[in-house]
Amino acid sequence: MVSFIARVEKEGRVFLPVQVREQINIRSRDLLKFCRVGEYIIVEKKYQTCIFCGQRHDLVEFRSKYLCRGCRSGLLGMVSVPVRKAHLQVAHP
């Protein structure tokens, strides 16, 4: 177990040391999930997932939502309206 002491800044920010960020591969702009369990706060890295199947890899972003290529292909097979590639961005886990 790794432990450290950090001060909460006036704005509510807490600094995570490099060693902690490296251990769980936290990079700038990553999402973190905070869970309160009794008097403890658990912090874990939140991964982008497909809104349909929950897969974390091979994602495409569409209007701030993520779809895996398999679900996207399934949806495209259901519609007859052409999808422009300009609306899709590849997401990086």
Side-chain angles (χ1 to χ4, degrees):
M1 177 171 89
V2 175
S3 67
F4 64 94
I5 296 173
R7 184 176 310 276
V8 178
E9 295 179 4
K10 189 182 342 179
E11 298 84 5
R13 294 183 292 221
V14 176
F15 176 78
L16 293 176
V18 172
Q19 298 88 343
V20 173
R21 294 191 313 260
E22 287 176 347
Q23 284 182 341
I24 56 176
N25 195 27
I26 296 174
R27 294 180 291 207
S28 178
R29 314 273 307 148
D30 281 349
L31 297 175
L32 299 177
K33 179 180 176 181
F34 294 81
C35 298
R36 181 176 167 223
V37 179
E39 61 185 61
Y40 298 99
I41 296 173
I42 298 172
V43 181
E44 61 183 318
K45 184 174 178 176
K46 175 77 172 128
Y47 293 94
Q48 300 294 352
T49 59
C50 175
I51 60 172
F52 295 110
C53 70
Q55 179 175 306
R56 286 183 13 191
H57 304 288
D58 204 18
L59 300 177
V60 174
E61 183 179 2
F62 179 71
R63 296 185 181 168
S64 300
K65 304 291 182 201
Y66 295 87
L67 293 89
C68 70
R69 293 197 189 275
C71 290
R72 178 178 168 257
S73 295
L75 287 173
L76 289 175
M78 296 172 56
V79 296
S80 59
V81 178
V83 176
R84 295 186 319 199
K85 289 187 176 186
H87 291 286
L88 301 174
Q89 296 177 349
V90 176
H92 300 285

